[in-house]
């Protein structure tokens, strides 16, 4: 339908039904227009009988969505903090938990939440400096794995560090 109307837009499906998580990879690959998957947790919690207002363990569906998005090379976007909209600490904690399992971002309900989320997902100056140092050292080696600061660095690690540098550039940081 979008193509028929000449619309050049991406799609970010919201996963909210429990059975959608079993099809998450297929959903992510269902169209070239899919740019990411968004964890719609409130409906998910309601549909599986979890409390919506209390903090509940969402690590399993959060991880499934992240893996599916990664397998399809699209973004994984975490749920907004709806239960405590003005609780910056809870938003920060949720954003860190999502980032730890591979999420690229988190939906926001307010400018206040957006600022916290941007802070969590934007690489710190220390992360940028480390990534640059590791990438430079890896590129200067003649072959194989580079050991920098006691850490073994190979191509997959460097690719991830290059992504960190690109996120920093996108955020307007000097890299």
């Amino acid at each position: 339908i979008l193509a028929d109307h000449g619309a050049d837009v991406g799609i970010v499906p919201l996963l909210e039904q429990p059975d959608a998580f079993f099809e998450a990879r297929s959903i992510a690959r269902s169209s070239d227009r899919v740019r990411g998957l968004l964890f719609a947790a409130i409906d998910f919690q309601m549909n599986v009988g979890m409390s919506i207002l209390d903090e509940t363990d969402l690590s399993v569906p959060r991880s499934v969505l992240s893996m599916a998005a990664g397998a399809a090379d699209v973004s994984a976007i975490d749920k907004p903090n709806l239960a405590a909209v003005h609780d910056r600490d809870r938003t920060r904690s949720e954003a860190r938990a999502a980032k730890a399992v591979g999420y690229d971002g988190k939906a926001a309900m307010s400018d206040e939440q957006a600022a916290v989320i941007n802070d969590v997902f934007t690489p710190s100056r220390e992360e940028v400096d480390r990534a640059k140092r590791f990438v430079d050292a890896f590129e200067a080696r003649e072959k194989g794995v580079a050991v920098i600061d006691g850490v073994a660095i190979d191509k997959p690690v460097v690719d991830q560090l290059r992504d960190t540098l690109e996120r920093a550039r996108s955020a307007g940081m000097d890299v």
Side-chain angles (χ1 to χ4, degrees):
I1 292 171
L2 292 170
D4 290 346
H5 291 87
D8 185 24
V9 297
I11 299 169
V12 178
L14 281 68
L15 275 67
E16 57 189 27
Q17 297 292 329
D19 59 341
F21 287 81
F22 294 103
E23 301 296 330
R25 188 178 68 166
S26 295
I27 293 168
R29 292 179 173 172
S30 65
S31 168
D32 290 341
R33 293 181 183 270
V34 174
R35 302 291 185 260
L37 299 175
L38 192 146
F39 182 18
I42 295 293
D43 289 318
F44 176 83
Q45 289 169 274
M46 182 182 67
N47 288 320
V48 297
M50 296 173 129
S51 172
I52 293 171
L53 296 177
D54 300 316
E55 287 195 50
T56 54
D57 182 5
L58 296 170
S59 59
V60 171
R62 184 179 270 142
S63 294
V64 167
L65 189 145
S66 175
M67 289 185 289
D73 196 27
V74 300
S75 295
I77 304 163
D78 193 35
K79 69 177 192 67
N81 174 3
L82 298 172
V85 174
H86 300 293
D87 185 340
R88 294 173 65 88
D89 291 337
R90 181 164 172 178
T91 299
R92 184 173 306 282
S93 176
E94 287 184 7
R96 285 179 176 158
K99 183 179 178 182
V101 294
Y103 276 67
D104 302 293
K106 181 173 180 63
M109 295 302 297
S110 67
D111 291 345
E112 180 182 29
Q113 283 187 359
V116 170
I117 293 163
N118 283 338
D119 182 54
V120 170
F121 283 95
T122 300
S124 69
R125 182 80 254 161
E126 294 78 23
E127 289 173 311
V128 170
D129 292 345
R130 182 180 187 202
K132 182 140 182 47
R133 189 173 76 250
F134 282 20
V135 168
D136 289 347
F138 181 81
E139 289 175 347
R141 94 222 181 296
E142 291 186 27
K143 63 178 179 173
V145 175
V147 178
I148 307 148
D149 297 346
V151 178
I153 307 296
D154 61 358
K155 186 176 179 335
V157 174
V158 169
D159 289 345
Q160 186 177 52
L161 294 171
R162 285 184 179 128
D163 288 345
T164 298
L165 296 173
E166 185 55 38
R167 282 195 321 276
R169 281 187 202 95
S170 295
M173 294 178 74
D174 183 30
V175 176

